[in-house]
C-alpha cells in the first residue's frame, strides 16, 4: 500500500494530519522544524505532504525537502498560505492546497497524485460508532442505519467533510441549502437539533456549538 509522509510543524494535532486520518493509505508523521524536515533514512514514500507553519518561507522549505536523501524524489503536496498562492507555479511541488482546506479537497488531491487508487475507499468516513457513506447517502451508528431526511444527511455530510472547521450558520445555509432558499439561520439550528437527536449519544456530542458563530464537527471524540 502507498505510504504518505506528512512533514508538519504540529506533530500532535495539525489540520493536515486530521484530514489524512480519512485517507485509505498509511501515514507517517515527521516534524518540520522551521524550514528543515526531520525525517529518518528509510524507504521513500509515494507522496510527501508538506505543512509548514503559517508565514514560513515555503521556497526554503521545498529547497530543503528536495535535497533530502529520502523524500527528495517523492512528489510533494504543499500547503500554502492564501497570500502565497501566486508563488505555486515557481515551487518544486506536484500540487498545492490552500490553508483552510476541507477534508474532501485533501482526499481528492491525494487520490489524484496517487493515481486514483483510493477513490472507492474514501467514499466512507468513520467517526467512532458512526459511519457516513458519502455515495450511498446513509449514516450508520453501531452498524444500524439512521433514518435521516435528505436535508439532514446533506448537513451531516458537509459537517464531516469539513471536520475540525467552524461553520457559521450563514455558511451552512449557503453550502447545504439551495441558493434560492429564503429561510433564516434558525433553520440551521432546527436541523442541528434534529440531527443530534437522531444520531444519539455519544455521536451527537461531535457536533459542537460555537457560541455566536455556528457549529463544528469534532474529528475526535470529546
Amino acid at each position: 500500500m502507498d505510504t504518505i509522509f506528512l512533514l508538519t510543524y504540529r506533530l500532535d494535532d495539525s489540520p493536515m494530519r486530521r484530514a489524512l486520518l480519512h485517507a485509505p493509505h498509511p501515514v507517517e508523521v515527521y516534524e518540520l522544524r522551521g524550514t528543515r524536515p526531520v525525517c529518518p533514512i528509510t524507504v521513500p514514500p509515494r507522496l510527501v505532504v508538506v505543512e509548514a507553519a503559517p508565514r514560513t518561507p515555503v521556497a526554503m522549505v521545498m529547497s530543503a525537502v528536495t535535497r533530502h536523501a529520502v523524500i527528495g524524489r517523492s512528489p510533494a503536496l504543499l500547503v500554502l498560505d492564501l497570500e502565497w498562492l501566486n508563488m505555486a507555479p515557481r515551487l518544486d511541488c506536484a500540487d498545492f492546497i490552500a490553508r483552510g482546506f476541507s477534508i474532501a479537497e485533501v482526499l481528492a488531491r491525494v487520490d489524484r497524485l496517487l493515481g486514483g487508487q483510493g477513490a472507492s475507499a474514501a467514499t466512507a468516513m468513520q467517526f467512532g460508532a458512526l459511519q457516513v457513506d458519502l455515495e450511498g447517502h446513509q449514516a450508520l451508528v453501531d452498524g444500524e442505519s439512521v433514518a435521516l431526511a435528505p436535508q439532514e444527511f446533506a448537513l451531516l455530510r458537509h459537517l464531516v467533510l469539513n471536520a475540525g472547521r467552524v461553520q457559521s450558520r450563514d455558511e451552512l445555509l449557503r453550502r447545504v441549502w439551495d441558493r434560492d432558499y429564503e429561510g433564516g439561520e434558525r433553520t440551521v439550528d432546527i436541523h442541528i437539533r434534529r440531527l443530534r437527536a437522531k444520531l444519539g449519544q455519544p455521536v451527537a456530542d461531535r457536533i459542537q456549538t460555537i457560541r455566536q458563530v455556528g457549529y463544528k464537527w469534532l474529528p475526535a471524540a470529546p
Side-chain angles (χ1 to χ4, degrees):
M1 183 174 288
D2 297 323
T3 300
I4 299 171
F5 282 12
L6 169 62
L7 306 176
T8 179
Y9 69 107
R10 291 172 60 182
L11 289 176
D12 296 329
D13 190 35
S14 81
M16 181 57 75
R17 182 173 187 174
R18 291 197 299 268
L20 290 175
L21 288 174
H22 304 285
H25 308 284
V27 179
E28 297 182 19
V29 183
Y30 300 106
E31 184 181 5
L32 189 58
R33 193 173 297 164
T35 61
R36 183 172 65 88
V38 182
C39 180
I41 302 301
T42 183
V43 177
R46 277 291 308 280
L47 175 68
V48 56
V49 181
V50 182
E51 181 186 34
R55 296 176 294 280
T56 300
V58 287
M60 294 178 63
V61 173
M62 290 310 302
S63 177
V65 167
T66 55
R67 292 197 310 268
H68 194 279
V70 173
I71 56 179
R73 295 187 178 181
S74 299
L77 172 62
L78 176 63
V79 178
L80 282 176
D81 295 311
L82 287 171
E83 60 269 30
W84 288 355
L85 290 180
N86 62 324
M87 295 176 56
R90 301 191 296 275
L91 296 172
D92 192 5
C93 61
D95 200 359
F96 63 92
I97 190 169
R99 207 177 299 276
F101 47 77
S102 69
I103 293 175
E105 184 180 4
V106 171
L107 295 182
R109 291 183 183 275
V110 167
D111 188 49
R112 184 183 68 81
L113 288 169
L114 293 179
Q117 299 175 27
S120 61
T123 62
M125 303 180 72
Q126 191 79 36
F127 298 92
L130 173 69
Q131 183 183 56
V132 183
D133 181 353
L134 301 176
E135 285 194 347
H137 292 267
Q138 185 179 30
L140 299 96
V141 174
D142 291 326
E144 296 292 328
S145 179
V146 181
L148 298 179
Q151 202 63 42
E152 292 165 353
F153 181 84
L155 177 58
L156 174 64
R157 185 181 189 277
H158 182 78
L159 288 171
V160 301
L161 285 174
N162 292 276
R165 294 182 63 193
V166 178
Q167 307 285 307
S168 70
R169 292 172 175 83
D170 179 66
E171 183 176 2
L172 288 170
L173 277 174
R174 287 186 287 107
R175 294 182 177 274
V176 177
W177 276 259
D178 293 335
R179 292 185 177 182
D180 297 331
Y181 182 75
E182 297 180 354
E185 294 182 355
R186 178 64 176 162
T187 298
V188 176
D189 297 329
I190 293 171
H191 278 75
I192 288 286
R193 185 167 64 247
R194 291 173 179 169
L195 188 57
R196 282 172 169 158
K198 290 185 177 182
L199 293 175
Q201 300 297 336
V203 176
D205 289 337
R206 290 182 182 269
I207 305 176
Q208 184 178 29
T209 301
I210 310 300
R211 287 178 60 84
Q212 299 182 334
V213 180
Y215 299 95
K216 177 173 69 173
W217 181 268
L218 299 177

